Amino acid sequence: MKKIYLDNAATTPAHPDVVLAMQPYFSDKFGNPSSIHAFGQETRSAVEAAREKVARLIGSSVEEVVFTSGGTESDNFALEGVAFANEGKGKHIVTSKIEHHAVLECCEFLKKRGFEITYLPVDQYGLVDPQQVKKAITDQTILVSIMHANNEIGTVEPIAEIAKIVKEKGVYFHTDAVQTTGHLPIDVKELGVDLLSLSAHKFYGPKGVGALYIKKGAKLVSFLHGGGQERGRRASTENVPGIVGLGAACALAQVSKVAPLRDKLMQGILSRIPETRLNGHPTLRLPNNLNVSIKYVEGESLLLNLDLQGIAASTGSACTSGSLDPSHVLLAIGLPHEEAHGSLRFTLGQATTEEDIDYVLEALPPIVQKLRSMSPLYKGAK
């Protein structure tokens, strides 16, 4: 059976060159980077070389890159680090209703510890209005966190415009760039952010490693307590193979070129299957992301039937794939519960071919027709 992977927003396969770069650091080059002998200095050099590659990709200085275990830790570090370091100035944080759970759950954690959280709405396309951000900021606001692009519907937010407003107010600005790093051009100076999260496995690096950009002079408390690794920012012996892999992925990163294939898939689904809709902004979106709602069917049933045909997709974030609740993102853009339950997310990768898209367009319509034929909602609507 043909196997087609269209769930690259959940994770990407590690590039062969990334795997090759990592291999020596599991065995031959095993020293602790904190050790002063030759074994340690060998791995220390590898860690710092990787840091330079990350900095080069995002336009920062090397001193502003802190390695983490991935996107979730980076988001938590940014929010909690700023919150607890600056609570003397205020205890108000502004974010949006469509953030990744790594941000939303962290905000709920902070809320229980006395912080006030403002969750901004989005429009029908998932866009945050910069003027809404401006209105939400008070003299107690210490942090604004708005994601660079949404992981479910692919909408790219006006980060640079928001950053100008936040900067005028003298407030820290964090963006979750886990879905955009390695796919869109990123320059932290052009974006105007103080903190930026990224994760290696979203752009052909290994799982379990990421980074947090911390602008020079930003005031954060340490997230982990222990040794003085990462210039005292993040205790714990560095994950050398993972960091080397992240550096290699950064060096290989290139702007995604799959938008034409994404558009072919989108036009094919919308034209061949009646009562479907595109979720997210039609143009201001990630080049590899397609999210559609198909009325009168359950997303989980679609996924299972697609999987039987060798096609891997998702209904939204991989972090909530076991949940029966409708996507908070789709509800936030105004979809009713039943349509939110019938969503599909296809995310293309470097290996996606036109033949893959043709195969999906052949397989999906009969699956929808079969499932709708068993749906009392569909029969009642006909």
Side-chain angles (χ1 to χ4, degrees):
M1 181 194 297
K2 191 175 179 68
K3 291 283 189 180
I4 297 174
Y5 184 75
L6 295 176
D7 197 18
N8 287 275
T11 194
T12 56
H15 191 283
D17 289 350
V18 169
V19 176
L20 193 64
M22 293 171 66
Q23 283 177 346
Y25 296 92
F26 288 107
S27 53
D28 297 338
K29 302 179 181 182
F30 60 86
N32 187 320
S34 296
S35 299
I36 63 172
H37 49 60
F39 290 89
Q41 292 311 296
E42 182 178 43
T43 51
R44 169 54 57 197
S45 295
V47 167
E48 296 312 316
R51 199 186 311 275
E52 289 179 9
K53 292 171 185 173
V54 176
R56 195 176 304 123
L57 181 65
I58 64 173
S60 75
S61 67
V62 292
E63 296 81 8
E64 295 171 315
V65 174
V66 176
F67 292 117
T68 68
S69 63
T72 295
E73 185 191 330
S74 293
D75 286 345
N76 277 239
F77 186 4
L79 269 66
E80 292 182 36
V82 169
F84 292 130
N86 297 275
E87 58 184 325
K89 297 180 181 178
K91 302 188 76 169
H92 179 228
I93 295 170
V94 178
T95 189
S96 82
K97 292 183 177 180
I98 65 166
E99 298 298 311
H100 191 277
H101 286 284
V103 167
L104 295 178
E105 291 300 318
C106 189
C107 285
E108 286 301 299
F109 168 82
L110 291 168
K111 189 175 180 180
K112 292 175 182 177
R113 280 147 185 82
F115 289 85
E116 179 188 356
I117 313 295
T118 296
Y119 296 97
L120 296 175
V122 294
D123 68 11
Q124 62 181 319
Y125 301 117
L127 282 171
V128 175
D129 182 353
Q131 292 306 310
Q132 291 274 0
V133 177
K134 187 174 184 177
K135 290 178 183 177
I137 295 174
T138 71
D139 58 0
Q140 294 296 304
T141 308
I142 55 174
L143 175 67
V144 173
S145 180
I146 304 293
M147 66 197 330
H148 194 189
N150 186 264
N151 52 300
E152 293 191 33
I153 60 174
T155 298
V156 179
E157 302 292 345
I159 296 300
E161 188 177 349
I162 294 172
K164 290 179 183 177
I165 292 169
V166 175
K167 187 175 182 180
E168 288 173 359
K169 299 289 187 177
V171 173
Y172 284 113
F173 186 29
H174 164 253
T175 191
D176 177 342
V178 166
Q179 289 293 327
T180 54
T181 305
H183 300 283
L184 296 180
I186 289 182
D187 186 306
V188 292
K189 296 180 181 64
E190 291 182 5
L191 288 177
V193 297
D194 300 296
L195 304 122
L196 180 144
S197 303
L198 61 91
S199 183
H201 77 105
K202 302 296 188 179
F203 60 106
Y204 308 98
K207 297 173 182 66
V209 64
L212 177 65
Y213 158 73
I214 305 174
K215 186 177 180 180
K216 186 177 180 180
K219 186 179 177 184
L220 280 77
V221 297
S222 295
F223 186 65
L224 295 179
H225 307 285
Q229 291 91 349
E230 294 300 287
R231 296 177 176 85
R233 291 288 204 185
R234 196 239 189 209
S236 183
T237 299
E238 294 90 344
N239 170 12
V240 178
I243 289 170
V244 169
L246 169 57
C250 287
L252 292 166
Q254 53 185 282
V255 175
S256 182
K257 300 176 181 177
V258 297
L261 291 178
R262 187 272 317 272
D263 290 344
K264 178 177 181 176
L265 180 60
M266 175 182 68
Q267 292 158 7
I269 291 174
L270 297 180
S271 63
R272 299 185 192 193
I273 304 174
E275 299 197 73
T276 56
R277 61 159 282 169
L278 173 69
N279 296 318
H281 199 281
T283 56
L284 301 176
R285 66 184 303 118
L286 289 167
N288 69 333
N289 177 291
L290 173 63
N291 189 306
V292 293
S293 286
I294 303 175
K295 293 183 71 173
Y296 310 116
V297 291
E298 289 282 338
E300 288 75 12
S301 298
L302 288 168
L303 284 186
L304 290 171
N305 279 271
L306 284 170
D307 193 44
L308 290 173
Q309 298 293 320
I311 301 166
S314 72
T315 56
S317 171
C319 301
T320 57
S321 59
S323 172
L324 295 177
D325 295 329
S327 159
H328 70 287
V329 175
L330 298 181
L331 295 180
I333 64 173
L335 264 65
H337 276 64
E338 59 271 19
E339 287 191 39
H341 271 301
S343 69
L344 271 180
R345 181 185 70 175
F346 297 99
T347 43
L348 289 63
Q350 291 178 350
T352 305
T353 65
E354 190 162 6
E355 289 72 23
D356 293 338
I357 301 303
D358 290 336
Y359 183 75
V360 174
L361 291 174
E362 288 179 15
L364 183 58
I367 291 172
V368 173
Q369 186 176 11
K370 180 183 74 171
L371 293 175
R372 282 179 170 173
S373 69
M374 297 184 288
S375 169
L377 292 174
Y378 183 62
K379 291 176 181 177
K382 290 176 71 175

